[in-house]
Amino acid sequence: MTITVEATQDGLGFDGEPTDAAVWAAMQAGPEFEARPGGTHRPDDVEGGDVEGGDVEGGDVEGGEEDNADGGREITAATRGADVLSGVGHTAAVGTAAAPAVDDATATLRRLRASVVAAHASAMRTQAALADRALAAMAAIAPPGGRIPAAVGDRGRGGPGWGTPAVDRPACHDTGLPGHAGASAPGTPPRPAPAIAPVEITAPAELTVDVTVVARDAAAIDGWVSLPAVVRQALDEVLRGSAHLAPRGGGHWVLTRAALVTSGPLPRVGDELRVQAATRVGAPGGFDPATAEVTLALRVTRGPDVLLEVLGGVFRWLARDGASHGGLAGAAGFAGIEAPGNPPGFAALEPAGAPSGSRGARGWTEDAFKLPGRTTRTTLDAGDLDRLTRGDVAGVFGARYDQRGVNPSVRLAPGGPLAAVPEFAPRGGAAGRGQLRASVSRLTGGVDHDGQPDPTHLAIAALTASWQAVSVFAMAAGLHLVIADAHLDVALPDERLELPDGLGRLSIEIHAPGHGAGPAAEAGLELVLTVTDIDLVPRPWLRADIELRDAHGPVATIRGIALAVRERPGTPVGPAHGGVLPAFLGRVGATGESALLGELQMFHAARGDLAIALGPEFASAAGRTVCRLPGGGLRLVDRVMRVDGARGQLSGGASMITEYDSPADSWYYTDSPSPTMPNIVHMETSLQSALLLGYYLGATLTDPANDYVLRNLDGTATVRREVDLAGRTIRQRSTLLSTTVLSGAILQNFQYELFLVPVDGSGSHGSGRDGDDRDGDDRDGDDRDGDDRDGDDRDGDDRDGEPFYVGESLFGFFTQRTLANQNGLDQGAFVPTWLERTSPAQADRRTIDVAARRAANAPLCAQGAMALLDQITVVDGGGDFGRGYLHAVRPTSPDDWFFARHFWLDPVMPGSLGVEAVIQALQEWMVQEGLTDDLVEPVFVVPAGLPMSWRYRGQIRPDDGEMTLEVHIKDVRRDGARARVVADASVWKPGMRIYGLTDIAAEARGRGAQSW
């Protein structure tokens, strides 16, 4: 016969034939079950329908309150926990009593009543027996001291499916990964499976779990719990608490796919967490575990805060032979999966499709993230990974990762599955943002009751390997170098900032659960991590897609896993009032000295929180159109090393030392006509450092009621000598000369010099007085770069410390109303181009097809982000000086890359990019004129010894539609292996001349060329 156990909303109901001896024999089977005194044994008198003694005094069985004359053997499910499972306690009693003489009718009635009582008592014994067996089964899967939720929640309490109170449950074991509590380590004897008689489960379509647990993680770093540990602990509660996922012989329940949404920082060990979950099967009335699919929705909260949710989770039964219902291959995502039993506020997640932030045109490099860390390491062995578990990041990646012990919690969790890293490529991967390949040990370290590999937690094992991989990449990238007292946490969305869509959501898909856990995995698996997004705002973070493969093919795919480096609550991440450092912020400079501000603050100055960048006086600027640093590839200042001067000191004399790292693979080297630093970078790094000084000193704080944006107005700069800047660190000293406050405008004049930091990090700009100014108490910045305040001998071989680039420039902070009154260089008058004024004959004009040269990948032609011109009109012998004339029109669009970089909420084309377009016109003309033909391995360089001056009186905005330029060539010079062209130029927006350039030049140099 069949015994069925049916879970109902009101409790567990048992349906059987209590008078059948086979029923009672089945109930007596099993080593955990034995007869209790006066209770669970088969009544001998049932068969005849007569209770010994014949009568039940009072004859009242309703309510179970019969009087038992012989002392009463009470059978109660409540005393054995049946009411815990069902919410209903049933009590029945039977007994004997002396029967008075009665007539036949009365005797017959009493016998009938006695038969009813006996049947009821037998049914209660059966129910109690089944309740005992249910408790015994649950005792086999509960953790020591754990708690078991009711199998079915009262859907009228606490919202649909989420109101069931947690109750105590017996102790049991769990099987897990190395480093997790309750794990069965490889080689240890398997624990015997509990003897459970086969039972067909009949359950409702949805079951809920609601339990409170204490956060735990045996591999926690300084008390910080990892993402895999939180998910593992929550899923364990589901596996123990849902009858849908009850264990059975011959296989395992495997989580084959799920979407995770993280909404809050990870907990600490000991935090109290509430786990609420709902599992659902296809239809009510029964299911076969061998063919069923169980879907899951789960929520983990800490107090009122949601930490994470699991949506669209799918469990499938994996038989011991590897067979699985529905198949597990394919990784196309799972858009539109409905999350079962969603409480109010839950939403279905759609993780299918590539994350945002993918690359634009093929070969585009401008958007490549510049890592704070600079290491030569491209591989890591087991010893390196072990050193990372001990926090020796500098010992693995180099001295520039030494933070003087301010980040002891930034280290790799011990006991993880990564064995080695054969590839770390900071510019690798499909998005060009980084790739890491790692070898991974088998994904499960536990075994099941039969001593076989247990794939139950394969998804968690894959998540653990992925978390370890993104942790290694984050440390190699140096994301922690810009912050102090930090730990590794999950990356979270921030509605105040423009961040990629879907941040905080990840998907897990298991393709072949038998592979990663089976014997074929003994040789190890390969993990491939591809970074899709990486940033420093609001805190350093990265997001990646990960695939785990073995000899058979893909085992697991995890998309969108995101890790952040977050400071301990209360740790300062920016300057205090007045720009004073409350403590060392964690960043050191190129030679090891303490930085005043680092890349984190520079990123916030570009598009984040200005209070973090500059101090609390700037907090009111959030969301307003105010002065910002450029962003992306146009942000060309990394660190502020020292400020000599106090906030509010605007009369002149204050100075600032900044640093900028120029990696050899920067976009402007790869995209320029030659792999040399173009003029735009010389201009921008110097101008940005100067404007940062004025802003830091509080120029706009003189009128806090108005929003000011920044514009460069004019300047003169000179390259004093040629230097190879690829892979070097540039150090700049900016000095404020004057400030003039007008109505709606604040004008500031600066002087600046650029030097090179020595390659070996030595030199007179060392590490301050003793290199140990860790608490930032050097409030005026004195000696942050040593006592060499005049820059002497900063690059060791620079002719007595002479700077390689010097200049002076005027900036203006303007209100939007003032900017609206700009009238260009000609006081509002329209001045046409020379081509329009003179109208030379078409026969006197020729065209340089720059776009065709670019398409042919011709030498000395700009590509990618530096491709500023497509066509140039040439009039030989034309122009103001009769030496030649160039004219070009460059269409502009709101989609042009530079508008998103310069500036946030205030998009304008950088003036230096307009200057670069003029230089490119000169360079293309030189190639067409054959001036580079006789040079050996020619490259373009910024001419040395020639001051170039500019005036800006307007900007190219996204809706202007085009930029027009003209160039008047006035000098052509050749000398051995060099050729130089000097010109004057102008730039127009529609209807207005806005740039005037004097002595702008282009120069080509052959290999071995001497200076002029």
Side-chain angles (χ1 to χ4, degrees), residues 204-255:
E206 181 174 305
L207 298 176
T208 62
V209 173
D210 189 349
V211 60
T212 299
V213 299
V214 174
R216 65 180 189 271
D217 182 0
I221 299 175
D222 295 340
W224 300 104
V225 179
S226 69
L227 175 63
V230 177
V231 179
R232 166 65 188 271
Q233 190 171 1
L235 289 181
D236 280 348
E237 298 301 326
V238 176
L239 289 168
R240 293 167 186 145
S242 173
H244 289 152
L245 301 172
R248 59 191 298 272
H252 307 270
W253 285 107
V254 178
L255 181 67

Side-chain angles (χ1 to χ4, degrees), residues 289-301:
T291 60
E293 180 176 272
V294 179
T295 53
L296 167 72
L298 181 148
R299 171 181 288 170
V300 179
T301 56

Side-chain angles (χ1 to χ4, degrees), residues 423-519:
E423 180 189 20
F424 166 65
R427 293 287 185 266
R433 294 182 174 91
Q435 179 172 287
L436 180 145
R437 288 190 307 111
S439 56
V440 181
S441 60
R442 60 192 297 170
L443 288 182
T444 55
V447 294
D448 64 11
H449 296 298
D450 299 322
Q452 299 297 317
D454 184 355
T456 301
H457 293 99
L458 181 59
I460 302 301
L463 183 62
T464 301
S466 300
W467 186 256
Q468 191 176 25
V470 294
S471 299
V472 171
F473 192 99
M475 286 185 274
L479 296 186
H480 61 290
L481 298 178
V482 301
I483 198 167
D485 200 9
H487 63 280
L488 305 181
D489 209 320
V490 291
L492 302 172
D494 190 326
E495 61 183 12
R496 302 168 300 174
L497 303 169
E498 293 182 0
L499 298 174
D501 293 337
L503 186 62
R505 299 182 178 187
L506 69 92
S507 66
I508 303 175
E509 186 120 10
I510 303 300
H511 309 297
H515 293 177

Side-chain angles (χ1 to χ4, degrees), residues 98-113:
V102 294
D103 58 32
D104 290 344
T106 302
T108 301
L109 178 61
R110 288 184 175 179
R111 283 195 296 271
L112 288 174
R113 292 172 111 182

Side-chain angles (χ1 to χ4, degrees), residues 65 171 352:
E65 297 178 354

Side-chain angles (χ1 to χ4, degrees), residues 770-832:
D770 59 3
D772 197 32
D773 185 23
R774 300 189 185 187
D775 60 358
D777 59 357
D778 185 7
R779 300 192 177 188
D780 63 357
D782 288 345
D783 271 343
R784 288 182 188 269
D785 68 339
D787 292 325
D788 186 13
R789 300 191 185 183
D790 62 358
D792 291 343
D793 203 20
R794 288 180 189 255
D795 71 345
D797 61 352
D798 59 354
R799 300 200 301 245
D800 298 325
E802 186 176 319
F804 68 85
Y805 186 78
V806 297
E808 184 174 323
S809 190
L810 177 67
F811 287 87
F813 296 92
F814 299 101
T815 63
Q816 292 293 341
R817 181 177 180 180
T818 303
L819 282 180
N821 295 324
Q822 292 180 106
N823 51 19
L825 288 172
D826 304 300
Q827 304 303 312
F830 174 71
V831 175

